[in-house]
Amino acid sequence: MDKVMSNKKMIALYVLPALLLVLVLIYVPIVLTGYYGLMKWDGIGEMTFTGLDQYAKLVRDAAFWDSAGHSLLLAAFSALSLLGYLAAALVLAGEVKGANLLRKLYLIPMLLSSVAIAQLWAKIYHPTNGILNTLLGAVGLPDTVEWLSDTSIVLLSIFIPIIWQYAGFYILIYYAALKNIPTSLVEAARIDGASPLQIALRVKLPLIAGVAKMTVVLAVVGSLKYFDLIYVMTGGGPNGASEVMASYMYKQAFSSYDFGYGSAIGFFLLLICLAVTWLIRKLTSSEEVQYS
């Protein structure tokens, strides 16, 4: 093995298949998306070069900026929800009674597809037969709420199943990070008289700062490009009230057959995700606490 690993040609041969996959599946589509964004194209006929006209159209498109605002709201909502996930992980890592059962229950949404989750919550939100309105009526509250048709609450109605969908994923990440902390550090803090809250804030959280930063990037960037559940539940409606950047891009490309403009939106969305990732890393670039 040492002989093979010292042979640069052999190393290149082993790495080449992975590099080709990354090139073909990631970088080539990115370049093509940027290229198509410079064209006027319906996806079938000939392409007409328009330069930056599609991007200029994007800047002037009020509907796109509305969808961008909804995506940013989802990103902020997802980032704030990480605090709840972290609190749940802290409780589970504390070996509370029934923790094993709770860990399994939290993972259930991860086993379901986004389409199945969308159909499930659409049934829950149904204005006449949905369990949510039925429960509201049972306790004497208004039971005719149009959860997915009211423009003032449709965004919140969609955000809740999205947060539920990814709860198990982030709780599992935090739980694994917390269980990786040496018990000797926690015991030393406990002997010094630290309360459970002080141990969590001053011992555990600093030691998993790197993991927390990674989850913030995943949650925010994932929210900016989120598509499937929203498209299945509302299709961006009513009247664009739940439209996000990814669903707006899809409609422009595959409903309006304006693939050039759809590609411009997709490339711009990529730039936004890169900029947000850089900003988060810049704002959280403080030196992480290390332990051995």
Side-chain angles (χ1 to χ4, degrees):
M1 179 60 73
D2 291 338
K3 184 178 180 180
V4 172
M5 296 306 296
S6 62
N7 189 329
K8 294 183 179 180
K9 292 183 179 180
M10 188 60 66
I11 293 174
L13 183 62
Y14 285 138
V15 173
L16 183 60
L19 288 178
L20 289 176
L21 283 175
V22 171
L23 181 66
V24 172
L25 298 179
I26 298 179
Y27 292 107
V28 170
I30 289 175
V31 173
L32 289 177
T33 300
Y35 172 72
Y36 292 146
L38 302 174
M39 304 290 175
K40 180 67 176 178
W41 185 39
D42 61 3
I44 301 174
E46 293 186 4
M47 292 184 288
T48 303
F49 180 77
T50 59
L52 297 177
D53 287 354
Q54 302 286 15
Y55 296 94
K57 176 183 176 181
L58 184 150
V59 172
R60 299 189 301 268
D61 190 349
F64 168 77
W65 291 111
D66 287 342
S67 68
H70 299 157
S71 293
L72 290 174
L73 282 176
L74 175 57
F77 199 78
S78 299
L80 289 175
S81 69
L82 294 177
L83 297 175
Y85 301 150
L86 180 57
L90 285 167
V91 173
L92 293 176
E95 301 300 334
V96 297
K97 187 176 180 180
N100 289 330
L101 176 61
L102 289 174
R103 284 197 296 270
K104 293 179 176 63
L105 292 176
Y106 283 131
L107 291 176
I108 289 177
M110 294 178 60
L111 306 178
L112 303 175
S113 69
S114 293
V115 174
I117 292 174
Q119 293 294 337
L120 170 65
W121 281 88
K123 295 292 189 296
I124 292 173
Y125 285 141
H126 195 279
T128 56
N129 301 321
I131 188 173
L132 184 54
N133 277 351
T134 301
L135 292 175
L136 291 177
V139 297
L141 295 175
D143 59 354
T144 57
V145 182
E146 298 280 349
W147 298 99
L148 300 180
S149 301
D150 189 335
T151 58
S152 63
I153 61 173
V154 64
L155 270 181
L156 179 61
S157 301
I158 289 178
F159 288 174
I160 290 174
I162 294 175
I163 300 306
W164 178 79
Q165 178 183 12
Y166 288 100
F169 175 73
Y170 289 108
I171 290 174
L172 184 61
I173 290 177
Y174 288 138
Y175 177 82
L178 291 168
K179 297 300 287 186
N180 197 41
I181 296 175
T183 56
S184 59
L185 298 178
V186 178
E187 290 298 328
R190 188 174 291 117
I191 292 172
D192 288 339
S195 66
L197 181 60
Q198 289 174 324
I199 292 174
L201 295 178
R202 299 184 181 182
V203 178
K204 293 182 178 181
L205 293 187
L207 292 174
I208 65 169
V211 174
K213 179 169 67 175
M214 180 265 293
T215 57
V216 171
V217 173
L218 288 176
V220 172
V221 174
S223 299
L224 290 176
K225 60 187 183 65
Y226 198 81
F227 168 75
D228 43 8
L229 186 143
I230 293 175
Y231 186 78
V232 174
M233 288 187 71
T234 65
N239 196 29
S242 63
E243 197 83 81
V244 291
M245 287 188 286
S247 63
Y248 188 70
M249 173 191 68
Y250 177 87
K251 286 183 177 180
Q252 294 300 315
F254 295 99
S255 297
S256 300
Y257 297 101
D258 193 347
F259 281 83
Y261 188 44
S263 297
I265 295 174
F267 194 75
F268 187 71
L269 176 56
L270 170 66
L271 296 179
I272 292 177
C273 291
L274 290 174
V276 169
T277 301
W278 174 84
L279 181 61
I280 293 174
R281 293 177 64 88
K282 192 73 174 178
L283 294 175
T284 58
S285 60
S286 58
E287 195 169 318
E288 298 171 15
V289 177
Q290 301 292 329
Y291 60 86
S292 57

